[in-house]
Amino acid sequence: MGTTPTEVLAFPNIRAIVRDNGTAEVVVAGNSRVVPAGDSVQDLRNNALALVVGEAQTLQRPVRVQIEDPEGHGELIVHPDNKIESVSYEPRPARRRAEAPETTPETVAPTVIDTVPVAAPEPVAVPAQPTTAATVDRQPWPPNPVENEPSTETPEPAQPSAAAEEPQRTATAPEAPLTRRSLKETSFLVSAPVLEPATQGWRGTLTRLGYRMAPSTEELSEREDIRTVSQHWPGPRTIAVVNRKGGANKTPTVVMLSAILARYSGAATVAWDNNESQGTLGWRTEKGSHDRSVLDLIDASTELLSPSTNAAEIAKFVHHQTADKFDVLRSDENEEGDHEVTAEEVDIAHQVLTRYYRLVVMDSGNTARAANWRRMIDHTNQLVVPVTAIEDRAEAARLTLQTLESRGGHDAELARNAVVIVSESTDAKRSMTGDALKRAKDEAQRIADGFEPFVRAVVRIPYDPAMVNGPIRYEALQPATQRAWLAAAAAVAAGF
């Protein structure tokens, strides 16, 4: 950019600090300036850079700024004309999981998804412009125009070979003309996918300022999870969320998986409370304008399965979630009722729902011997086992998987392909501090490690107060919790 070392180092004492508690400041020569508040950490980054640009314009020279935020730290060079160079970036070290044990061809290690936020990696470095001072690595933005200019060298003409000078004496068969078949095998539309620029972190800030930055590894991972949960699969898919112990986070897991799959895929999604007694799915979700439950849907199954019935008729029996875009089929909540859903009635309800919905996410009771529980497993494509960081919940989850594996066939395959979701959402954690909080996290890690060798994927979910009581809403969760549940939903969808 034509910047000399004297210009860059003339005013080095600028720091842009963004904290994860929603505050930020810019320090100029020891004087702190409060950054205007924003709705997100990204807004704070933008506002901080705006103050630095203003300082460069005041001085009428480039300035070097040290940036610090929850993702890492580095240096930028800001010019008075709004041009910004990325000098270096050092991500904060992420907590790594222990290495998985070696596997044999008979035992394949499962996928383990760590939901601890990962800092953006160091940007790819290119050679710095030559200077008399020490050189630094810089981002290749904007591109060097010299590298894009065509070569001016004139290639030497090739010397004709002796064989070429001799007249051709033997007749050769003419080349075969292009046929319709070869044209069919040719396409002008084959091209590499376009990588969209970064939208998150400092890279996203620089992109919005006009510098197209490549996304970080963490952002690419999030995009891949979104792509996975956005698929449409041929035919309906049924997810069963099971754990024979109450309080294992089954209902919140059903709500979050339904919300994410419905939001990103746009597929018609229903959460079905298949408890043998009064379930809590209806308590943790939005109620519609009626009181109908699964028993009413079963009674109306003949009409709902009729070819002449309009698809909108299903709204009479389910409760739509206006924000998260999925429907809920509640269990019977009649306190005086004694009807238990039979295996045949599970078949009927499943037949109705798979006519109107692509995705069915089933909440379950705590009795693996119940007829409706076992018939639910017969219809399941993907098993999900939620567990909180408490020993008895983990032991109940292990016994649930052991029971299914012992049955063999379809049940055993579901157990081997299961996704275990270890959640830290407990009431007790709200009062935890210091060593107690660390012990709770270590316990969650120990439980996750214990399930790894036996299932396809293990996902950890951080504690979030919005998951503890009352209706559950995706938008009410903290960003880290939303990201963790997206990873969990992607692990589930990968099993379809």
Side-chain angles (χ1 to χ4, degrees):
M1 300 227 178
T3 302
T4 67
T6 301
E7 290 176 321
V8 173
L9 299 175
F11 200 82
N13 299 325
I14 294 184
R15 294 175 61 199
I17 306 169
V18 176
R19 305 179 183 86
D20 55 7
N21 63 359
T23 64
E25 63 178 333
V26 171
V27 180
V28 180
N31 297 320
S32 175
R33 299 184 183 180
V34 178
V35 174
D39 293 332
S40 64
V41 172
Q42 191 60 59
D43 292 334
L44 292 174
R45 293 189 185 105
N46 295 340
N47 296 338
L49 279 182
L51 289 179
V52 176
V53 170
E55 193 66 32
Q57 292 173 344
T58 300
L59 296 172
Q60 283 300 301
R61 67 180 65 177
V63 297
R64 184 185 294 267
V65 54
Q66 297 178 354
I67 58 175
E68 298 179 30
D69 70 358
E71 294 181 3
H73 59 87
E75 289 185 313
L76 303 175
I77 297 176
V78 179
H79 294 257
D81 57 357
N82 285 347
K83 292 181 180 179
I84 298 177
E85 297 177 69
S86 178
V87 177
S88 65
Y89 190 80
E90 180 71 22
R92 298 191 188 281
R95 180 165 61 83
R96 299 182 180 274
R97 298 182 57 88
E99 292 182 359
E102 293 183 1
T103 60
T104 64
E106 292 76 20
T107 303
V108 180
T111 303
V112 180
I113 303 173
D114 196 342
T115 59
V116 175
V118 179
E122 254 184 61
V124 178
V126 299
Q129 299 181 10
T131 67
T132 57
T135 59
V136 294
D137 290 337
R138 298 180 181 176
Q139 287 281 353
W141 311 102
N144 187 349
V146 176
E147 297 175 355
N148 298 330
E149 293 180 2
S151 175
T152 57
E153 294 185 15
T154 304
E156 296 181 2
Q159 298 295 329
S161 65
E165 294 178 353
E166 296 181 3
Q168 190 171 358
R169 299 183 181 182
T170 58
T172 59
E175 294 183 2
L178 291 176
T179 63
R180 290 184 181 275
R181 181 175 182 179
S182 64
L183 287 174
K184 287 182 179 179
E185 296 172 352
T186 303
S187 174
F188 296 102
L189 300 179
V190 178
S191 60
V194 177
L195 180 65
E196 297 182 359
T199 61
Q200 300 176 4
W202 287 105
R203 294 167 178 259
T205 298
L206 294 174
T207 295
R208 281 182 285 277
L209 291 174
Y211 300 94
R212 187 183 179 92
M213 304 295 291
S216 66
T217 301
E218 173 62 21
E219 184 170 356
L220 288 175
S221 174
E222 182 174 340
R223 292 181 184 183
E224 178 60 22
D225 285 347
I226 291 174
R227 187 198 67 81
T228 301
V229 299
S230 300
Q231 302 298 312
H232 279 195
W233 300 269
R237 294 291 187 272
T238 299
I239 302 166
V241 179
V242 301
N243 189 324
R244 62 172 62 179
K245 182 70 174 176
N249 232 34
K250 292 193 294 290
T251 296
T253 298
V254 169
V255 174
M256 293 315 305
L257 292 180
S258 300
I260 291 172
L261 290 169
R263 277 171 166 264
Y264 285 105
S265 73
T269 304
V270 62
W272 171 8
D273 194 337
N274 189 42
N275 270 273
E276 57 270 11
S277 58
Q278 291 179 324
T280 59
L281 182 60
W283 303 351
R284 304 300 304 271
T285 54
E286 186 177 349
K287 183 181 180 302
S289 58
H290 58 80
D291 295 316
R292 295 186 181 91
S293 69
V294 63
L295 298 184
D296 299 293
L297 180 137
I298 293 170
D299 290 341
S301 59
T302 301
E303 175 188 353
L304 290 171
L305 292 173
S306 170
S308 62
T309 301
N310 190 287
E313 293 299 310
I314 194 67
K316 296 178 180 177
F317 305 93
V318 294
H319 302 261
H320 184 61
Q321 307 304 295
T322 54
D324 290 329
K325 310 306 179 186
F326 68 96
D327 293 343
V328 172
L329 179 62
R330 294 185 168 198
S331 62
D332 179 30
E333 298 181 2
N334 184 2
E335 296 181 358
E336 299 178 358
D338 57 359
H339 180 85
E340 294 185 1
V341 177
T342 65
E344 292 74 19
E345 289 173 330
V346 171
D347 291 338
I348 294 172
H350 189 267
Q351 184 181 5
V352 171
L353 292 179
T354 52
R355 176 183 175 183
Y356 292 90
Y357 297 93
R358 285 178 177 265
L359 298 173
V360 180
V361 185
M362 298 183 69
D363 200 350
S364 65
N366 303 328
T367 306
R369 297 177 181 178
N372 65 322
W373 199 99
R374 300 192 65 159
R375 189 53 59 88
M376 170 189 67
I377 295 298
D378 294 339
H379 291 292
T380 297
N381 302 111
Q382 176 62 58
L383 190 73
V384 176
V385 183
V387 57
T388 55
I390 301 176
E391 288 184 353
D392 62 346
R393 310 295 196 274
E395 182 65 11
R398 185 190 68 79
L399 292 173
T400 302
L401 290 169
Q402 179 182 319
T403 298
L404 292 171
E405 190 172 22
S406 66
R407 294 175 181 173
H410 174 69
D411 292 14
E413 182 60 27
L414 286 176
R416 288 190 292 268
N417 195 48
V419 174
V420 173
I421 300 178
V422 183
S423 176
E424 299 174 6
S425 295
T426 62
D427 290 320
K429 185 167 181 187
R430 286 186 291 182
S431 60
M432 288 184 184
T433 58
D435 293 340
L437 185 60
K438 183 179 183 303
R439 285 195 299 269
K441 288 183 175 293
D442 291 343
E443 180 66 9
Q445 186 63 57
R446 184 181 72 86
I447 291 173
D449 292 339
F451 279 107
E452 282 181 35
F454 308 106
V455 295
R456 179 171 59 82
V458 179
V459 188
R460 283 185 56 188
I461 306 294
Y463 170 77
D464 195 313
M467 297 285 293
V468 176
N469 294 309
I472 303 171
R473 301 287 185 271
Y474 175 79
E475 290 294 347
L477 302 181
Q478 298 171 358
T481 314
Q482 292 179 352
R483 178 67 186 95
W485 278 111
L486 174 61
V492 172
F496 292 161

